[in-house]
Amino acid sequence: MKELRVEDALLYLDQVKMEFGDRPHIYNEFLDIMKTFKTQQIDTPGVIRRVSNLFQGNRPLVLGFNTFLPEGYKIEIPAGG
């Protein structure tokens, strides 16, 4: 797994912000999910579930989140899903 850089995280945040610019509540919900995860109130499967649901229908953002998951975890979307 490649080493994560702060720039990677900021770029992803920018993508989320641009994608949901007209719906800031989604961006804010994403930030809340990340805060909850960071404080270990939810585990990795929980964060995967919540982010997948939040970004449902936005394949690039859902799959892009894989960059930040620990080894052994991966979000997969079935073809046509």
Side-chain angles (χ1 to χ4, degrees):
M1 187 168 150
K2 75 179 182 101
E3 189 175 325
L4 271 179
R5 299 173 319 180
V6 172
E7 292 82 16
D8 297 326
L10 293 176
L11 189 64
Y12 186 77
L13 275 177
D14 281 345
Q15 289 174 326
V16 173
K17 198 172 203 174
M18 284 190 311
E19 184 65 33
F20 298 108
D22 59 335
R23 292 172 286 166
H25 63 281
I26 294 179
Y27 177 74
N28 291 328
E29 175 69 16
F30 176 70
L31 293 180
D32 287 343
I33 292 169
M34 293 299 95
K35 288 176 194 167
T36 305
F37 181 60
K38 186 175 181 178
T39 59
Q40 299 178 344
Q41 295 175 41
I42 56 173
D43 59 5
T44 301
V47 82
I48 288 171
R49 199 168 33 257
R50 291 176 73 177
V51 168
S52 296
N53 288 336
L54 185 66
F55 295 160
Q56 190 172 12
N58 191 311
R59 189 178 186 93
L61 284 182
V62 172
L63 295 177
F65 192 69
N66 281 322
T67 303
F68 307 101
L69 295 176
E71 201 163 318
Y73 290 95
K74 184 176 183 183
I75 300 172
E76 294 181 321
I77 301 175

